[in-house]
Amino acid sequence: MKSEPGRGIPLWVEAPSVVVLAILSILEGFRSAGGTLADPAPWVGVIASFAAFGRYRFARTTAVFALAAIAGGCVLPFLVVLYHFTSRGRMREMWVCLAIAIAIGVPWFAIALARGQSLFEGRVGTWTGLGNPVLAGLALALGMWAGSRRRLMEALKGQVEQLRVERELRAEQARSAERARIAREMHDVLAHRLSLLMLHTGVLQMQAQSLPPAVVARIDLLRGTAGQALDDLREVLGALRSEDPTGTGRTKASTAPALQDLAELLAEARAAGQLIDSEVSGDAASASTSHRLAVDRLVREALTNARKHAHTAPVGVRVHYGPPATTVEVVNGPVMDAKEFTAPEAVAAGPAVPGPLVVRVASAAPGDPALPADSALSGGYGLIGLAERVSALGGHLYTGATGGGWRLSARLPVSSADPCPASDLAPAAGLCRVSVS
């Protein structure tokens, strides 16, 4: 059973409560009427009790019935109305109802004085007794507390929603930044190849006298087309310039780093103090530049995360180039105690030898050569950028905890027609696929 809009209590809880309220109102009205059911006070209290069931939709109508009930000596429905108005922040209606309720007691007070009756018995006792004012104060206090709690929960929900939106925006920004970085890297690669093409065609143009006119014309066309393509690439790179973070409105070119050999990257990480066991197979020269760039980014980001979050854990790197796909797997084990490591000099020399190991590993600083600046400032969105890059190449990326450590694996099909089945990665338990929307 669903609740009405704005109702904070389920109907299956409130319906029995209203019945109990009606029974108590009959008893209270029966007492204030002098022990007779012929007086309308008990029945007005019952009507007001059931009217409280619709206070979320018809709050003012419910207040009218509650004031009629308190005129007959039934104060319980009025307490419910006070609590409702106070908890909902409708303080004006609450003060109006409280003033009317006090005003209703004036005639009963005058009648009791005129008849010489006791001021603490009968219907006048509803206002002169000590119990009802205490109950009214308790209803007001509980209503204020409930209202404050409700506003706090709404504010927290709003903050959670705002954080969710900000997270989505930052993730989209990370994906856009990775796309721009891929474009800049491919610009550097293509610009280099077009420059070589122009260089070789220029050499052929110097031998134009010994070539047929048709061949010379084709060489001129080829050189001119290559030059135009290089100019177009420069314009594309200008469109990918990033704004100056200082807010001055100026832009600066964000050049892509040169493609570093994987062995050099691993050597730098070992020199920085990481314990790395690497295995590289396949012909890296036969792999496409986009695959080699992706492998560099995957290994670099994985080593950076291992240094940041488990700097004393050994890391295993497995890379395979070649058909049907290029695969990358980086796994770091659980964090080890310092007494189980050797000195960084022994680690930099190569794979670990059997026996106890003792390694001093310092946390990577932003200026550390083994820690790229973009990863240090990624703010936890590096995996999103990797997923964007791998997805652009038609591959899959999996990350997750495994064996007390962390595993990152990726598969990049050599051909775009390669279906890239997920079974080839054989993700371990706990791994999740990083998708890009």
Side-chain angles (χ1 to χ4, degrees):
M1 184 177 295
K2 297 182 178 179
S3 301
E4 296 178 4
R7 185 182 297 272
I9 304 175
L11 292 181
W12 64 271
V13 174
E14 188 163 0
S17 301
V18 170
V19 174
V20 174
L21 180 64
I23 295 175
L24 294 178
S25 297
I26 290 179
L27 296 177
E28 187 179 20
F30 180 78
R31 179 193 59 80
S32 63
T36 177
L37 293 178
D39 192 273
W43 310 113
V44 174
V46 171
I47 295 174
S49 298
F50 282 103
F53 193 73
R55 64 189 181 277
Y56 292 94
R57 292 181 179 270
F58 312 102
R60 294 184 179 179
T61 303
T62 303
V64 171
F65 282 106
L67 290 173
I70 199 174
C74 295
V75 72
L76 294 179
F78 181 70
L79 296 179
V80 174
V81 171
L82 285 183
Y83 172 83
H84 175 74
F85 281 147
T86 307
S87 64
R88 296 289 166 172
R90 303 173 64 171
M91 306 305 293
R92 181 177 179 181
E93 288 92 335
M94 183 272 295
W95 287 115
V96 170
C97 289
L98 198 59
I100 294 175
I102 295 175
I104 291 175
V106 174
W108 292 111
F109 188 77
I111 292 174
L113 289 178
R115 293 180 178 180
Q117 298 176 352
S118 173
L119 298 179
F120 300 97
E121 297 179 358
R123 289 195 172 101
V124 71
T126 304
W127 291 268
T128 58
L130 182 61
N132 289 336
V134 172
L135 291 177
L138 182 61
L140 293 177
L142 290 176
M144 292 180 182
W145 173 82
S148 300
R149 185 177 182 275
R150 180 180 293 107
R151 288 188 291 271
L152 176 61
M153 295 301 296
E154 291 176 354
L156 291 177
K157 290 180 180 178
Q159 291 179 4
V160 170
E161 179 65 19
Q162 183 179 1
L163 291 175
R164 185 189 64 81
V165 173
E166 291 180 358
R167 180 182 177 85
E168 292 179 355
L169 292 176
R170 290 182 180 179
E172 182 60 31
Q173 183 180 8
R175 286 189 286 266
S176 300
E178 190 65 23
R179 296 188 193 111
R181 175 171 179 162
I182 294 172
R184 289 192 296 268
E185 290 173 349
M186 296 312 299
H187 165 271
D188 291 347
V189 174
L190 293 177
H192 174 68
R193 295 181 177 178
L194 287 174
S195 299
L196 289 178
L197 181 60
M198 293 179 62
L199 177 63
H200 288 294
T201 53
V203 173
L204 291 176
Q205 283 180 335
M206 296 177 62
Q207 307 294 330
Q209 297 179 355
S210 61
L211 297 176
V215 175
V216 173
R218 293 296 180 180
I219 292 175
D220 293 339
L221 178 61
L222 185 60
R223 181 178 175 83
T225 303
Q228 291 177 1
L230 189 58
D231 293 337
D232 293 339
L233 282 175
R234 291 192 182 115
E235 292 179 1
V236 171
L237 181 62
L240 295 175
R241 294 173 184 266
S242 59
E243 292 189 0
D244 186 3
T246 59
T248 59
R250 301 177 181 178
T251 59
K252 61 179 181 179
S254 181
T255 58
L259 179 59
Q260 187 180 17
D261 184 71
L262 185 58
E264 296 179 2
L265 176 61
L266 296 175
E268 288 183 0
R270 288 191 179 102
Q274 281 188 284
L275 178 61
I276 300 176
D277 180 18
S278 61
E279 179 182 342
V280 181
S281 59
D283 187 9
S286 63
S288 63
T289 305
S290 59
H291 278 208
R292 284 184 289 163
L293 288 170
V295 170
D296 179 85
R297 283 282 290 128
L298 288 165
V299 175
R300 188 182 297 270
E301 183 70 23
L303 292 178
T304 299
N305 289 339
R307 287 175 60 85
K308 290 167 61 178
H309 304 292
H311 59 278
T312 61
V315 182
V317 179
R318 304 290 183 270
V319 178
H320 173 72
Y321 296 98
T326 299
T327 58
V328 179
E329 182 182 41
V330 182
V331 182
N332 67 271
V335 178
M336 303 175 65
D337 296 333
K339 62 182 180 180
E340 301 179 2
F341 288 84
T342 57
E345 293 78 5
V347 178
V353 296
L357 303 174
V358 181
V359 173
R360 284 182 56 207
V361 182
S363 300
D368 196 321
L371 178 62
D374 58 340
S375 296
L377 301 177
S378 63
Y381 291 90
L383 292 180
I384 296 177
L386 293 182
E388 177 66 28
R389 180 181 292 270
V390 172
S391 177
L393 296 176
H396 292 320
L397 175 68
Y398 290 88
T399 60
T402 174
W406 188 266
R407 177 174 181 253
L408 179 147
S409 60
R411 184 181 190 275
L412 307 174
V414 173
S415 173
S416 58
D418 197 328
C420 187
S423 59
D424 290 352
L425 273 176
L431 294 185
C432 62
R433 177 176 172 180
V434 182
S435 60
V436 179
S437 57

